[in-house]
Amino acid sequence: MSGYRLTTVETVREQGSWAFTAREGDADREVFLVPCADESDGDAGNDVDGETNGDDDGQPVRAWINRCTHEDQRLHREGVGAVTRGGSVVCPKHGSAFDTCEGSCDNGEAAGTTLRSIDVDVRDGAVFLVDEDLTYLYGGLPDDNGDDEGPSSSSHLTF
């Protein structure tokens, strides 16, 4: 199986999230990686190098399109990363929490929705983009005219 090498599982775990920009058709897509388990869950069935130990759902990291399903809001912001708590990615604008492994949300404004997943594979501790619809462009997110300054809500969640 081929694919574009993005980063390492260790880097995603250390930073809490990691983002890149890819091309899909004529549009650029922001994507972010998160560990598939809350740090308190231990290694979630993965051995030291980030490979799975036979679990059907043992992928140590997941990749998601960088947008809340409720409103066009970044979940991962440059300089901040993705806000995670208890195995969930939290929308900084409305507080909706998306499961890091499944992408599903059962609370807040985005309840009943699921983040769009992007196919990645882990080999020898490295994370590879294997989604056939996306072509890697660069690490990080585009400067979106100040969008990285945070949401325009009054909640401004940080943890």
Side-chain angles (χ1 to χ4, degrees):
M1 181 180 281
S2 62
Y4 186 88
R5 185 185 184 284
L6 298 168
T7 187
T8 65
V9 171
E10 180 180 352
T11 296
V12 176
R13 286 181 178 160
E14 286 177 359
Q15 295 181 5
S17 62
W18 190 87
F20 66 96
T21 302
R23 174 66 50 118
E24 180 179 41
D26 293 335
D28 290 354
R29 300 283 184 231
E30 296 178 13
V31 180
F32 71 101
L33 304 170
V34 288
C36 184
D38 185 23
E39 288 298 319
S40 65
D41 292 339
D43 66 2
N46 303 311
D47 62 25
V48 176
D49 69 0
E51 291 294 320
T52 61
N53 290 331
D55 293 350
D56 289 338
D57 198 24
Q59 185 83 333
V61 297
R62 295 282 197 238
W64 307 106
I65 292 290
N66 190 26
R67 292 289 183 233
C68 179
T69 57
H70 166 65
E71 191 172 302
D72 191 23
Q73 173 67 46
R74 281 181 168 159
L75 298 172
H76 175 105
R77 297 186 333 243
E78 288 296 331
V80 176
V83 175
T84 58
R85 181 178 62 197
S88 295
V89 175
V90 180
C91 175
K93 188 165 186 178
H94 296 105
S96 293
F98 298 88
D99 183 272
T100 57
C101 298
E102 302 297 323
S104 58
C105 179
D106 62 5
N107 75 315
E109 300 288 338
T113 66
T114 302
L115 296 174
R116 180 176 161 210
S117 67
I118 299 301
D119 295 332
V120 293
D121 189 36
V122 174
R123 298 187 298 270
D124 298 322
V127 183
F128 293 82
L129 174 64
V130 295
D131 196 298
E132 294 180 5
D133 295 331
L134 295 178
T135 303
Y136 178 87
L137 293 176
Y138 55 87
L141 304 177
D143 181 15
D144 200 8
N145 298 326
D147 184 31
D148 285 339
E149 297 299 317
S152 60
S153 75
S154 59
S155 66
H156 300 288
L157 295 175
T158 57
F159 298 95

